[in-house]
Amino acid sequence: MPVAPAIKAQAATKTIVFDATAPLYWSEACKHLMKKDRVMKRLIPQFGQACLQSRGDAFATLARSVVGQQISVKAAQTVWDRFAKLPEQICPSQVLKLKIDDMRAAGLSVRKVEYLVDLALHFDNGAVHEDAWGAMDDEAIIDELVAIRGIGRWTAEMFLIFHLMRPNVLPLDDVGLINGISKSYFSGDVVSRSDAREVALAWAPYRTVATWYIWRSLDPVPVEY
């Protein structure tokens, strides 16, 4: 995903300056959202230069998501650090050479070992078309990823947001998004997926950006995957 040099977006009373790691669309998205949505007009200026960030390559990003499933962030980091020491590098061919006992000793469950092996096989045998993702739409990439054991729709959507930095992803299975919409738009009342989808109509074509700011309204520290 291309990035822009220092990008500027006009807020209500000040200029927000995004650095060179900001997605190319971020400035325009902020302008659009602040114009179209009263909550975004209030939220976006609160977080200054902070913006969506991406790290790592595709395989490592998905492997991290598998390792971190259903355990705390702290525990996930501990297990990942142990696992990452096993191969010469985190890549499909190296992971496929690992011994199951060594992976289990790093703290991985039997199921997660199976998931990581399946993930490595999909990348190694070309079942995922990483080189073609740039020309594929979001749903096509999601369909490709959920064919891998251990990768569900939510994980695929997080991958679209945090790795590919696609601008218009709306992860309706994300508890944080639903809770944030409840808090910011419905005074804390219970929100359905339909309610959330209706709120997000004003966010298109930058639903990723609005989702990111909703997350920030609950936790000011940006999350990276």
Side-chain angles (χ1 to χ4, degrees):
M1 178 66 66
V3 295
I7 310 170
K8 297 182 179 180
Q10 289 294 328
T13 58
K14 64 179 181 179
T15 298
I16 305 172
V17 180
F18 300 113
D19 66 23
T21 62
L24 186 62
Y25 56 78
W26 202 262
S27 175
E28 184 60 35
C30 289
K31 292 177 184 177
H32 173 86
L33 292 168
M34 287 191 292
K35 180 179 179 180
K36 296 288 187 179
D37 187 284
R38 59 178 176 79
V39 171
M40 291 295 134
K41 185 176 181 179
R42 171 177 56 83
L43 277 182
I44 290 173
Q46 294 179 21
F47 298 99
Q49 299 178 15
C51 63
L52 179 65
Q53 302 285 328
S54 179
R55 71 176 182 183
D57 64 19
F59 176 75
T61 298
L62 289 168
R64 269 184 175 271
S65 74
V66 169
V67 169
Q69 289 173 0
Q70 298 181 324
I71 58 178
S72 70
V73 173
K74 183 177 180 180
Q77 187 63 53
T78 298
V79 176
W80 176 259
D81 289 343
R82 292 172 182 164
F83 169 72
K85 294 177 181 177
L86 298 177
E88 293 180 9
Q89 66 180 105
I90 302 296
C91 66
S93 61
Q94 290 294 317
V95 169
L96 289 173
K97 293 178 181 179
L98 297 178
K99 296 179 180 178
I100 292 176
D101 288 346
D102 290 341
M103 296 172 74
R104 294 280 288 119
L108 293 165
S109 66
V110 172
R111 185 63 56 84
K112 287 184 180 179
V113 170
E114 293 173 352
Y115 290 166
L116 286 169
V117 170
D118 194 52
L119 176 66
L121 284 170
H122 273 76
F123 272 80
D124 194 59
N125 65 20
V128 291
H129 303 92
E130 186 176 359
D131 292 342
W133 283 342
M136 292 167 63
D137 65 29
D138 292 351
E139 287 300 322
I141 296 172
I142 289 172
D143 288 345
E144 192 165 274
L145 293 177
V146 299
I148 303 169
R149 293 184 64 194
I151 304 295
R153 184 176 180 89
W154 178 87
T155 300
E157 288 173 335
M158 293 304 104
F159 183 79
L160 288 176
I161 292 172
F162 288 96
H163 183 75
L164 296 178
M165 295 196 288
R166 291 294 177 95
N168 199 34
V169 181
L170 183 68
L172 290 172
D173 293 324
D174 187 80
V175 174
L177 173 63
I178 298 300
N179 288 344
I181 289 175
S182 170
K183 179 181 176 182
S184 292
Y185 292 85
F186 294 89
S187 301
D189 292 342
V190 175
V191 173
S192 68
R193 289 167 60 95
S194 179
D195 292 331
R197 190 180 289 109
E198 186 173 345
V199 167
L201 289 175
W203 299 348
Y206 300 114
R207 296 183 299 177
T208 292
V209 181
T211 296
W212 189 89
Y213 281 108
I214 290 294
W215 285 333
R216 299 289 65 71
S217 73
L218 299 177
D219 183 357
V221 179
V223 175
E224 297 179 359
Y225 284 87

